[in-house]
Amino acid sequence: MSGVIDAPSPVLEVEGLSVSYRRGLWKAPDQVVKDVSFEIRLGRTLGLVGESGSGKTTIGKAIVGLVGVEGGEILFCGEPLAHSSRARRRELSASIQMVFQDPYSSLNPARTVGQTLAEPLMAHRRLKRAELAGAVFSILTKVGMDPSAARRYPAQFSGGQRQRIAIARALIVEPKLVVCDEPVSALDLSVQAQILNLLRDLQRELSLTYLFVSHDLAVVRYMSDEIAVLKQGRLVEYGDAETVGERPEHPYTQALLAAAPRPLHKRLDVTDAADGAIEHSCR
Amino acid sequence: MLRSVGRRLLLSVPLLLGVTFLTFLLEALTPGNEALAILGTSADPQQVAALSKRLGLNLPFYVQYWHWLDGVIHGHLGNSAVTGVPVATTLNSHLAVTLWLIGGALVMSAVIGITFGVISALRGGVLGRIVDVVSLGGLAIPTFWLGYLLVLLVAVKLRWLPAVGYVSIGSSLGGWARSLVLPVFTLGVGGVALVAKQTRDAMLDVLSREFIRSLRAWGLASRSIVLKHAMRAALPNVVTLMGLYVVSLLLGTAVVETVFALPGLGSEVVLATSQHDLRVIDGASLYFTLIVVVVFTAADLLTAWLNPRIRSGR
Amino acid sequence: MAVELRAGTAVSVRERSTLVRFLWHPGAAFSVGFLALVVVAALAAPVLPLHNPIVEYYPHLFQGPGSASFPLGTDDLGRDLLSRMVYGARTTLLGVGEALAVFLALGVPLGLVSGFVGGALDSLVMWVADLSYSTPQIVVVLAILSIYSQNETAAMLAVGVLGSFGLTRIVRGSTIAVKNEQYVAAARVSGLSWGRITVRHVLPRIAGPIIVQASLFSSLALLFQTGLEFLGLATHPPAPSWGSMIAEAAQFIVRDPWMIVPPGAIIALTITALGLLGDRVRDVYAERWAPGGVVALGRTRERHQAAPAVVAPSRAAEEDPTSGEAAVRTPALLEVAGLAVVLESRRAEIPVVENVSFELEKRGALGMVGESGCGKTMTVSALLGLLPSGARRRAGSILFDGEALHHYGEKELSRTRGSKIGLISQEPVASLDPNFTVGSQVAEVVRRHRGLSRAEARSVTLELLDMVRLPDPSRVYRRYPHELSGGMAQRVAIAASLAGRPKLLVADEPTTALDVTTQAEIIALLRSLQDELGLSIILISHNWGLVANLCDRVVVMYAGQVVEMGTTVDVFTAPRHPYTAGLLASDPHLVSRADRLRALPGSVPEIGQWPEGCHFAPRCPYAIQACIDAPIAEQRVGAGHAVRCIQHERLVLERPA
Ligand SMILES: Nc1ncnc2c1ncn2[C@@H]1O[C@H](COP(=O)(O)OP(=O)(O)OP(=O)(O)O)[C@@H](O)[C@H]1O
Ligand code: SF4
Ligand SMILES: [Mg+2]
């Protein structure tokens, strides 16, 4: 991976990003993302790992404009987004999309799959009924669902099928960049594999660029070209997937790697390392 | 703990000022003024003007309000326009009955309502259905109707209890109790229904929570699980509801006092309303609001005490 | 793709229109019918063949019900009660309608804005709402009535204004809840404006709570209004109203008790109807907005009625292939045989666990793997008698340390729990009672099992907290659950589970909710406790790594059955069931980035939709006709290695080198 000669241009550049949440009228805002920088090139995947509360989701939300940027800049194909107008943001939503973590709450249970899928299209273009239906059918086929799904409600689908629908909703506007926020962590292992395969197939087919957020280093290692490790809002390690995923330098990444035991190494040194960790964290 | 009481006080002062001010504001829109009410509609206009001036009724209403507030701080609520008796004297003499009624209805709805609610949450089935029906019916039957039906049955037909009237606690304890049984019961039925329903919903919710399962898994006796742990978690909801219930009880006391001819605040203020006796209404609004403030503060203290997040103050 | 299609075709009740479903209920039908009748009668009163409500038919005083010209009788002045009631309904309708209109017109927009905008505006609105919540309505209304004498409209408008803040609160709460739903975030990411989001996603969602509140408020307003009428504050004497009819009747209650019945009954019925309406709307909405497809439960076909699809129910006793070795092995601590658990719904029993048998040695550690919904939690809940309501152990025996737990009633089981078998669960913080300090909870468990004094229990508790390696036990003792991190809470839960010195600890996904570094610590703790206390452990986990790390034997479950069982090494290195093999192959831990994951197609079937034959057949790459025809029995394939597959040989033959 390291020897790419003709590196494609960056689709997304994040420079010194910081984000804060207000906890109440009187309390000082709480900075959850601190001075984070990275970039993703066309057709590549950047994996973002970290434990819960480390700010992964918040970075994703800042990129799609769901939370405001406090400091730093986000460049999409060279265009600065941090302070762009609401109208411009809306236009850009055709190019930057997001897949959410929970396939159960990310689909409105009272709307049919077809209505849900048509919604982003209608926000951007004036399409005729037949064109809409055509787009919905073709995207459903693309994510491996039967087109008849369009007439049904989310409750009639399993978690994996719902996540396919959620992916279809993100892709129907033909975006360039997709922020995948823990798209498989609510899914079972066997279904997780299907979705990971699907995401990789679609990436190749549509030359998508992914920001792939997960707390699972193994999943990130499998999906990404590069990995960024986040701890308490700061990047602690950032580099190509092989190095970060196999031979990390930062102690935190090493701890993450060691703590996720691999099945076939029975009673490996993992727990010994973990025993050490207890001493460490309990004092 | 302190914080939640502080919050309530912060709300109470504006509430007291707000309600009394609102009363004055509304009265300022009065078509006929108080002097007319005192002297009668056939009075000589000059006399009316003179009296108005003496009573300060010509001043802007906010000045009048200010004077009234000043009086309140010194314990004067003005005199009744109709009887000339100081308002504070009248209201104080009527306060006891109303407090007994409210207190009685609260105790009744807490004791019976919580018991019903817990039983129906635990047992479901037929018992649950019965509680459902009782709570639907208890809410649906208008207080005054129920009151008369009870008077007809218990007092007139069976002659078990006096139909109407009030015996003060000082003159005869037994008579006092007998005179309050029917009114309190009439007033409390709606509360029982409300509390039972709320308790049941809250208990069902708590019993399905994860920690109940783990308490069972650790082998605790189900008595302790239900009566100590589940009740404790369900109670704040019930307490909050009881606070709101008291606000709605105030009209109920007026009605019940009328039905049973009890000399309470409610019937007094109803009389004042039909007589345009504004000073009495001002005073009563202060009293009623104070009752609400006291009850809400108590409810807040109780919920805060029940909630470790507030109690530990961390 | 075939599998996906089939799962999708599960027809659900949801397809019936909401309105029809709403009315398909006796309470709802009654209330809608009754309210419609009242409203229509009130509106049409002038054209209905009724007496004039204020004309006094002199000789007919106090006429009881039943006569042709006065169906409900007459009052003290000879006025027709029926006509007075119908005309009274006009007054009621007007008053309640005015109050309701104000209630909605103020409450809904204010709640929406407050919920959406948030910040200082929201705080202000909530402050005003708090204020008006505690305002005694009667004071304001009486002040109004003392000025606008007997002006019911003014009074009811005031009731509406004061009540509207309650609605504001509810609408705001629901708005915030909907605003935080991921589908609203998704709509924003899709470029929808707030206006469209409100119309498409928010309003439909909060319509239910609004209707519920409106019906509740209407009945309160009705009671308030009739109360005022009763007190003579709201209507002028000859005009009919329900409240004043009761006041009139009350004067003659001894002479003519009947007079008080019709007006009271109509008020009670109207309020009942409003209450039922609200309840029904609430229920229908709750169903509609439930995220999961629980609806399917009630409609399962009853094909599982027949005896559990088992080949040899008594397998554990005589035909156990491993029983020959029993003499050499340490005696089992736990023996589960033929365990079946069903969910009981109105029409059917749906199996959730079928014929599960396994055993666990003293000091052994058994892993239980398999995806969600395969029955792992149900299986261990059945051991402890902790099945959720609706679930029932239908068959099977559970022998624990010589005791037949399956014969125990709730009382004996409750004594077993904690003292013989301990349980720790997935959500560490949620599994502790939020209202008590963690120390007092653990101490209560200690006292229950060891009958100690308070002081003794306290010191035992401190020892336990120390044993699970919590730093500074006496400080942790005084903490409340919300003050602990997930990892600390899980340690406390472990301490409480061990308070009764159980021999077996069941850990149901003890680390799923924790961060990876904490996960490893908890597993290490379990392992050292196992050594120190001689515990046996059952570990349920999705995580193959954790199981491999702690357990010497593994049970793999799929759709309610044990499909493979053996030593951890055997199962992980030489799986004999296609499901086990498939799961291992889809674990990204084991695959390099260059390879494609070998994903199993489809997903675990919902309960009630399990196939007749092999439960795994629809997803199995090796399935043949024989797999579909009949239930598959467990077969022994090696020492202590059993598998529920008729073609387990093929896995050995086709395994890549
Ligand atoms: N809307 C919000 N308002 C206030 N605080 C928030 C909000 N969303 C997230 N946070 C807080 O911000 C921090 C970072 O959150 P974020 O969800 O981005 O982390 P994460 O790494 O994705 O966590 P997880 O793995 O649990 O999803 C956390 O402390 C979280 O509690
Ligand atoms: S029995 Fe048949 S369908 Fe079932 S797992 Fe074995 S080969 Fe597959
Ligand atoms: Mg997250």
Side-chain angles (χ1 to χ4, degrees):
Chain A
M1 285 289 151
S2 50
V4 183
I5 303 157
D6 191 12
S9 61
V11 170
L12 181 77
E13 292 158 272
V14 170
E15 292 168 0
L17 177 70
S18 54
V19 180
S20 294
Y21 287 115
R22 290 202 76 93
R23 307 261 166 203
L25 272 186
W26 319 115
K27 290 180 195 150
D30 190 353
Q31 200 172 53
V32 297
V33 175
K34 296 160 191 155
D35 193 22
V36 166
S37 306
F38 57 79
E39 62 172 47
I40 319 175
R41 290 175 183 277
L42 184 68
R44 311 283 289 269
T45 300
L46 175 73
L48 197 54
V49 258
E51 303 203 329
S52 84
S54 58
K56 312 177 297 280
T57 303
T58 306
I59 292 176
K61 284 183 170 176
I63 292 168
V64 296
L66 283 174
V67 299
V69 171
E70 185 191 27
E73 191 51 273
I74 297 171
L75 296 161
F76 175 71
C77 298
E79 177 184 348
L81 299 184
H83 305 286
S84 56
S85 71
R86 214 180 262 203
R88 179 67 191 136
R89 263 287 179 195
R90 212 168 287 155
E91 284 168 31
L92 278 173
S93 68
S95 313
I96 310 176
Q97 274 293 324
M98 183 154 175
V99 175
F100 293 85
Q101 172 168 6
D102 181 359
Y104 290 87
S105 99
S106 71
L107 301 174
N108 187 339
R111 295 174 68 76
T112 62
V113 169
Q115 287 171 327
T116 294
L117 291 180
E119 192 170 87
L121 274 185
M122 297 197 304
H124 292 287
R125 285 172 238 161
R126 294 219 144 276
L127 290 180
K128 294 203 198 74
R129 222 160 229 291
E131 291 171 315
L132 272 181
V136 167
F137 279 23
S138 77
I139 198 74
L140 277 173
T141 322
K142 201 162 270 165
V143 298
M145 301 272 298
D146 191 273
S148 69
R151 288 191 305 274
R152 303 216 196 89
Y153 288 93
Q156 298 168 8
F157 297 97
S158 68
Q161 289 170 315
R162 288 183 203 208
Q163 202 57 297
R164 286 176 193 266
I165 296 166
I167 291 171
R169 172 179 53 196
L171 296 186
I172 198 166
V173 289
E174 298 167 13
K176 281 202 175 102
L177 172 67
V178 181
V179 176
C180 306
D181 182 20
E182 307 247 12
V184 294
S185 51
L187 303 177
D188 278 326
L189 204 54
S190 71
V191 178
Q192 168 179 312
Q194 297 166 13
I195 298 294
L196 293 180
N197 281 340
L198 174 68
L199 284 170
R200 288 202 357 181
D201 295 346
L202 290 168
Q203 176 168 48
R204 204 167 311 127
E205 193 179 329
L206 309 170
S207 12
L208 295 169
T209 306
Y210 287 151
L211 175 65
F212 190 94
V213 175
S214 177
H215 65 272
D216 188 337
L217 191 55
V219 170
V220 163
R221 198 168 45 194
Y222 177 70
M223 288 298 288
S224 316
D225 302 291
E226 283 159 312
I227 297 180
V229 183
L230 204 60
K231 187 188 180 193
Q232 288 165 9
R234 289 185 196 284
L235 280 195
V236 294
E237 186 151 10
Y238 174 33
D240 70 87
E242 211 141 313
T243 320
V244 179
E246 309 289 344
R247 299 176 300 280
E249 276 164 24
H250 195 277
Y252 178 69
T253 321
Q254 287 165 358
L256 279 186
L257 192 62
R262 301 183 190 196
L264 302 181
H265 303 204
K266 188 171 151 43
R267 300 237 163 171
L268 58 185
D269 37 298
V270 170
T271 38
D272 303 330
D275 273 330
I278 292 172
E279 301 297 314
H280 186 68
S281 70
C282 285
R283 289 294 125 83
Chain B
M1 197 82 155
L2 272 179
R3 185 187 294 182
S4 82
V5 174
R7 221 182 72 91
R8 173 56 63 189
L9 288 181
L10 251 132
L11 210 60
S12 302
V13 174
L15 181 72
L16 281 167
L17 291 177
V19 172
T20 48
F21 184 79
L22 189 65
T23 321
F24 263 81
L25 179 69
L26 289 168
E27 288 166 3
L29 310 171
T30 309
N33 75 35
E34 210 181 340
L36 256 162
I38 297 175
L39 299 170
T41 30
S42 55
D44 174 6
Q46 269 186 332
Q47 273 182 302
V48 173
L51 185 64
S52 296
K53 189 155 186 200
R54 196 160 58 79
L55 292 177
L57 297 177
N58 297 338
L59 301 170
F61 80 93
Y62 49 86
V63 178
Q64 291 187 41
Y65 179 63
W66 183 248
H67 288 164
W68 182 81
L69 268 189
D70 189 52
V72 169
I73 292 165
H74 297 95
H76 309 301
L77 297 177
N79 295 338
S80 158
V82 178
T83 62
V85 179
V87 170
T89 314
T90 317
L91 293 181
N92 286 342
S93 70
H94 287 79
L95 184 61
V97 173
T98 302
L99 290 185
W100 287 127
L101 282 177
I102 292 179
L106 269 182
V107 171
M108 169 176 159
S109 45
V111 174
I112 305 181
I114 292 178
T115 313
F116 271 30
V118 170
I119 290 174
S120 91
L122 293 183
R123 302 290 294 275
V126 177
L127 218 55
R129 280 287 157 93
I130 292 176
V131 170
D132 275 353
V133 171
V134 168
S135 53
L136 201 64
L139 290 176
I141 296 176
T143 323
F144 36 96
W145 198 50
L146 179 66
Y148 284 119
L149 293 184
L150 286 173
V151 166
L152 190 64
L153 184 73
V154 182
V156 177
K157 290 264 152 66
L158 299 173
R159 302 189 174 281
W160 285 349
L161 291 167
V164 296
Y166 177 67
V167 180
S168 77
I169 190 167
S171 52
S172 153
L173 193 64
W176 168 79
R178 286 163 57 81
S179 70
L180 280 179
V181 170
L182 281 186
V184 165
F185 182 82
T186 308
L187 194 59
V189 164
V192 168
L194 273 176
V195 172
K197 210 171 155 135
Q198 178 81 15
T199 306
R200 188 186 54 159
D201 292 351
M203 282 296 277
L204 284 178
D205 179 47
V206 171
L207 288 174
S208 68
R209 301 245 292 268
E210 181 66 26
F211 77 83
I212 294 292
R213 185 167 181 264
S214 55
L215 293 175
R216 289 183 64 201
W218 298 338
L220 291 189
S222 47
R223 245 171 67 108
S224 161
I225 295 178
V226 172
L227 296 182
K228 181 172 169 188
H229 296 274
M231 277 289 274
R232 177 63 173 277
L235 224 44
N237 282 320
V238 180
V239 172
T240 309
L241 176 86
M242 305 259 300
L244 295 174
Y245 168 58
V246 170
V247 180
S248 76
L249 262 185
L250 297 175
L251 177 72
T253 56
V255 166
V256 167
E257 285 161 14
T258 307
V259 170
F260 292 94
L262 304 176
L265 274 186
S267 48
E268 182 61 24
V269 72
V270 167
L271 185 68
T273 306
S274 51
Q275 294 177 334
H276 302 271
D277 199 344
L278 298 186
R279 286 292 89 82
V280 174
I281 293 179
D282 299 337
S285 67
L286 181 69
Y287 275 52
F288 278 144
T289 314
L290 273 175
I291 292 177
V292 169
V293 166
V294 169
V295 169
F296 270 67
T297 310
D300 277 1
L301 276 173
L302 200 55
T303 351
W305 179 74
L306 286 172
N307 182 346
R309 274 168 214 254
I310 302 178
R311 181 157 27 114
S312 64
R314 273 176 236 155
Chain C
M1 221 52 358
V3 183
E4 308 236 353
L5 271 182
R6 227 195 22 178
T9 38
V11 187
S12 95
V13 189
R14 191 160 293 181
E15 278 171 10
R16 236 190 284 160
S17 94
T18 311
L19 185 68
V20 172
R21 226 152 26 87
F22 170 75
L23 287 173
W24 195 253
H25 180 269
F30 157 77
S31 47
V32 169
F34 180 81
L35 293 174
L37 183 72
V38 171
V39 170
V40 168
L43 293 177
V47 300
L48 291 177
L50 290 167
H51 295 287
N52 185 324
I54 56 171
V55 168
E56 301 166 9
Y57 294 89
Y58 179 62
H60 306 283
L61 307 185
F62 299 117
Q63 213 172 65
S67 77
S69 76
F70 304 109
L72 290 181
T74 59
D75 67 4
D76 55 312
L77 299 173
R79 297 175 295 197
D80 178 29
L81 284 180
L82 175 64
S83 148
R84 286 181 74 73
M85 253 173 57
V86 174
Y87 278 88
R90 289 168 76 85
T91 317
T92 304
L93 199 63
L94 183 66
V96 173
E98 286 161 347
L100 189 60
V102 174
F103 174 78
L104 291 174
L106 284 180
V108 176
L110 210 53
L112 275 174
V113 169
S114 181
F116 263 134
V117 177
L121 177 76
D122 183 40
S123 307
L124 180 70
V125 170
M126 282 306 100
W127 187 77
V128 174
D130 265 356
L131 212 57
S132 77
Y133 232 55
S134 30
T135 302
Q137 299 165 321
I138 182 175
V139 171
V140 177
V141 170
L142 290 186
I144 290 176
L145 288 173
S146 70
I147 300 141
Y148 301 104
S149 193
Q150 289 168 324
N151 186 334
E152 193 159 48
T153 297
M156 292 315 284
L157 292 181
V159 169
V161 172
L162 288 177
S164 69
F165 288 97
L167 180 63
T168 302
R169 226 176 226 284
I170 305 270
V171 171
R172 166 192 179 260
S174 322
T175 306
I176 291 177
V178 184
K179 192 171 94 173
N180 292 334
E181 288 278 8
Q182 284 189 354
Y183 60 78
V184 170
R188 284 177 64 193
V189 173
S190 300
L192 255 70
S193 62
W194 277 117
R196 281 209 202 171
I197 290 178
T198 308
V199 172
R200 286 222 194 114
H201 297 286
V202 181
L203 279 181
R205 176 71 186 265
I206 63 177
I210 292 176
I211 298 173
V212 172
Q213 289 303 310
S215 77
L216 193 67
F217 174 78
S218 302
S219 42
L220 289 179
L222 175 60
L223 279 177
F224 203 90
Q225 184 190 23
T226 48
L228 291 176
E229 290 164 357
F230 167 78
L231 293 170
L233 295 173
T235 40
H236 292 280
S241 75
W242 293 350
S244 60
M245 284 175 74
I246 292 187
E248 289 153 13
Q251 295 171 0
F252 305 95
I253 185 147
V254 180
R255 180 166 171 196
D256 180 13
W258 164 254
M259 243 172 91
I260 204 169
V261 173
I266 186 111
I267 297 175
L269 279 176
T270 310
I271 291 174
T272 307
L274 286 168
L276 289 175
L277 186 76
D279 282 358
R280 184 65 190 148
V281 172
R282 192 191 53 200
D283 291 350
V284 168
Y285 259 77
E287 262 174 49
R288 183 171 173 80
W289 292 95
V294 198
V295 203
L297 257 185
R299 336 191 79 241
T300 321
R301 279 172 294 139
E302 285 162 280
R303 67 164 179 242
H304 287 282
Q305 278 299 56
V310 175
V311 178
S314 56
R315 183 198 76 86
E318 304 111 67
E319 299 163 16
D320 185 344
T322 56
S323 59
E325 307 159 50
V328 222
R329 291 201 343 237
T330 32
L333 177 69
L334 174 71
E335 283 176 60
V336 177
L339 180 69
V341 178
V342 291
L343 271 181
E344 285 173 321
S345 77
R346 242 166 298 162
R347 266 163 293 172
E349 277 187 349
I350 304 159
V352 287
V353 170
E354 275 185 11
N355 192 30
V356 163
S357 309
F358 61 86
E359 46 194 65
L360 173 61
E361 295 161 36
K362 288 206 169 90
R363 291 172 168 266
L366 179 75
M368 239 182 208
V369 293
E371 296 169 287
S372 310
C374 285
K376 306 183 296 291
T377 299
M378 283 286 184
T379 302
V380 296
S381 300
L383 302 186
L384 288 150
L386 281 178
L387 287 172
S389 65
R392 187 170 65 82
R393 188 174 56 79
R394 193 178 187 286
S397 63
I398 302 161
L399 292 175
F400 180 82
D401 207 13
E403 294 179 62
L405 299 188
H406 53 284
H407 290 315
Y408 280 9
E410 171 57 27
K411 251 219 164 98
E412 291 131 319
L413 277 173
S414 143
R415 246 176 273 128
T416 312
R417 293 195 285 259
S419 66
K420 307 248 160 64
I421 307 179
L423 176 78
I424 52 180
S425 72
Q426 180 170 355
E427 289 292 335
V429 178
S431 72
L432 302 174
D433 186 340
N435 294 310
F436 293 86
T437 60
V438 295
S440 72
Q441 294 179 51
V442 179
E444 189 183 350
V445 184
V446 169
R447 294 187 51 171
R448 161 88 174 161
H449 290 295
R450 307 196 192 174
L452 300 176
S453 74
R454 273 174 202 283
E456 289 164 336
R458 192 189 148 85
S459 68
V460 171
T461 303
L462 290 174
E463 281 166 25
L464 283 168
L465 295 180
D466 189 51
M467 188 175 79
V468 294
R469 302 192 204 158
L470 278 162
D472 198 352
S474 56
R475 237 185 65 207
V476 174
Y477 191 100
R478 294 188 307 264
R479 297 278 184 103
Y480 286 94
H482 70 269
E483 298 168 331
L484 303 181
S485 70
M488 288 168 89
Q490 195 60 291
R491 286 167 197 269
V492 172
I494 293 174
S497 311
L498 296 178
R501 290 181 284 215
K503 293 180 183 155
L504 168 63
L505 187 62
V506 177
D508 188 352
E509 305 204 26
T511 61
T512 309
L514 305 175
D515 283 327
V516 267
T517 42
T518 323
Q519 278 182 14
E521 293 172 19
I522 294 290
I523 293 297
L525 172 66
L526 289 177
R527 208 162 90 187
S528 67
L529 288 174
Q530 186 190 10
D531 294 342
E532 280 168 40
L533 307 175
L535 274 178
S536 303
I537 290 183
I538 295 181
L539 173 72
I540 298 183
S541 180
H542 284 287
N543 190 324
W544 292 95
L546 295 184
V547 171
N549 220 336
L550 185 71
C551 304
D552 28 58
R553 289 181 63 79
V554 191
V555 164
V556 183
M557 287 193 70
Y558 185 78
Q561 296 177 326
V562 172
V563 293
E564 184 158 8
M565 177 160 61
T567 64
T568 311
V569 178
D570 283 351
V571 172
F572 281 21
T573 55
R576 301 294 292 270
H577 195 282
Y579 177 63
T580 317
L583 264 191
L584 282 166
S586 42
D587 192 336
H589 281 102
L590 307 174
V591 179
S592 88
R593 174 159 165 71
D595 298 329
R596 197 178 157 76
L597 290 170
R598 285 201 292 125
L600 291 166
S603 54
V604 183
E606 301 275 316
I607 55 167
Q609 296 180 359
W610 294 341
E612 184 93 30
C614 175
H615 289 185
F616 187 60
R619 305 174 71 188
C620 181
Y622 306 103
I624 54 174
Q625 189 59 37
C627 303
I628 308 168
D629 287 343
I632 311 293
E634 253 179 39
Q635 304 183 25
R636 189 186 164 191
V637 292
H641 195 169
V643 59
R644 197 184 287 276
C645 171
I646 49 176
Q647 298 191 78
H648 55 83
E649 299 295 342
R650 282 183 63 183
L651 242 76
V652 185
L653 299 177
E654 294 180 14
R655 177 170 303 127

